[in-house]
Amino acid sequence: MALVAVGVSGGISAYKAVEVVRLLQKAGHQVAVVMTRAATRFVGPLTFEAITQRRVITSQWTPGANADIEHIALASEAALLLVAPATANTLAKLAHGFGSDFLTSLALATRAPVLVAPAMNTHMYDHPATQANMATLRARGVRFVEPGEGYLACGWVGKGRLAEPDVIAAEALRIIDPPRLLRGRRVLVTAGPTFEDLDPVRYLGNRSSGRMGIAIAAEAAQLGADVTLVLGPTSLAPPPGVRTVRVRSAHDMHGAVSAARATADAIVMAAAVADYTPAGGAAGDKVKKQDGDLTVTLERTVDILADLGRWREGRARPVLVGFAAETTDVLAHAARKRESKQVDLIVANDVSQAGAGFEVETNIGSFVTAEGVQTFPLETKTALATRIVAFLAERLAATPVATVAP
Ligand code: CTP
């Protein structure tokens, strides 16, 4: 049994939070409700108080709110902070670190995972400010339950309706008590770009942010896996609970993967590895400009994934997963890559489509396996990561967990 802090902010769908609280209680958890002032205009605190049997915090200035041990302990005792519904205003405050009411102060004080279910007018949801705030929160590890589309209370039709209470509660329960399907499994994930140095100040790189691989590492860790993340040069932070090996070039990444591959149950190559590097390595000194053009000769790097496929020699373990970022004939290229690199799954994506590929929070993936192709809708990288990790769990389910390192 865990204690869940449920933050309710001021939207018309605040009444749906009552059902979310009931579902969490039904699953055996205790719930402490925190309401913003605006939320109390939509639902009475008494409703939450009656069903949770706890005092509801509606203001940080209420006498007792800070003296009451139960409430002060909330930041440290809560297993999850769930904000449902989250208005555009609350999202903005969370993204910018405001502590202007009890809910936002709690969000700053707690180290518990945070799950947010936004609900607002569709134009407010689509507004670049709201989208940027959500991107900031996502990059910080905050999880989201996407709002639904349809007829909104304000009369508009579009995205912004609070997700259904059972969907929100299910996602909350998955975080509080994740099914540990990968317990005892070792998962190796690569993420990010590689930088191939030309000289001490210049390099050849690519636009990968590492987001996809970081999401996969986080999901695998959530399911109980022992995760090693080989991370190329990116400003994004690795997720908690994961062993991280920082690398720079394709050569470094190959070395780190080769060192860890023997004990891995599954390897996911989500990194965008350079196919070419300056021949003979980086110049020792800065290259000075001269009249006329400069020609740089590049040589092939090792294809790490293909190398893993060859090394595995048709064995079933480790499960190998690669990506194929394409702009034309996506599925045909992906199928060819899967066969030539001898891997179990290629996650193909058309990076020419809006919302897919590099530098965005979302992706449109297709699974290409020996059995066929499965295409998914535009979804967050976390949602796609959940599918990839579920694939690993399914493929590994048939084999016993190793008790001794091979
Ligand atoms: N990959 C790798 N080592 C490389 C290049 C790519 O391990 N030197 C892996 C990537 O991590 C990814 C997969 O191979 O999982 C596909 O990468 P991609 O760049 O899309 O394909 P390439 O094999 O490089 O083919 P092409 O450039 O012809 O599209």
Side-chain angles (χ1 to χ4, degrees), residues 269-275 301-305 322-326 337 341:
M269 284 292 306
V273 189
D275 289 324
T301 56
V302 172
D303 186 324
I304 304 169
L305 188 58
F323 278 72
E326 310 284 350
K337 275 179 195 173
K341 300 194 188 198

Side-chain angles (χ1 to χ4, degrees), residues 136-209:
T136 302
L137 291 168
R138 271 201 187 97
R140 242 180 249 152
V142 170
R143 286 156 183 264
F144 281 82
V145 186
E146 297 261 319
E149 288 194 32
Y151 184 78
L152 306 180
C154 55
W156 295 58
V157 176
K159 194 166 182 176
R161 195 172 61 186
L162 184 71
E164 290 308 317
D166 58 332
V167 175
I168 298 172
E171 189 54 28
L173 295 173
R174 214 172 67 83
I175 296 173
I176 301 164
D177 193 12
R180 315 278 284 173
L181 294 175
L182 287 175
R183 193 197 295 272
R185 308 291 190 184
R186 295 192 187 90
V187 176
L188 175 61
V189 182
T190 65
T194 62
F195 285 176
E196 308 302 317
D197 288 331
L198 285 157
D199 69 14
V201 296
R202 304 179 181 96
Y203 60 84
L204 295 172
N206 63 65
R207 288 167 53 192
S208 167
S209 63

Side-chain angles (χ1 to χ4, degrees), residues 241-297:
V242 158
R243 190 179 314 107
T244 305
V245 181
R246 297 303 301 243
V247 295
R248 182 170 173 85
S249 65
H251 179 264
D252 299 345
M253 187 169 279
H254 184 221
V257 169
S258 301
R261 69 187 184 185
T263 55
D265 294 299
I267 304 178
V268 182
M269 284 292 306
V273 189
D275 289 324
Y276 294 93
T277 191
D285 293 316
K286 187 182 166 196
V287 176
K288 303 301 286 180
K289 68 172 167 296
Q290 290 155 10
D291 291 339
D293 298 339
L294 172 71
T295 303
V296 178
T297 305

Side-chain angles (χ1 to χ4, degrees), residues 2 4-6 17-31 80 82 168-173 176:
V4 185
V6 173
V18 176
E19 183 60 18
V20 174
V21 169
R22 287 188 64 86
L23 289 169
L24 294 174
Q25 285 181 316
K26 249 191 193 163
H29 301 294
Q30 281 194 41
V31 182
L80 171 72
L82 165 64
I168 298 172
E171 189 54 28
L173 295 173
I176 301 164

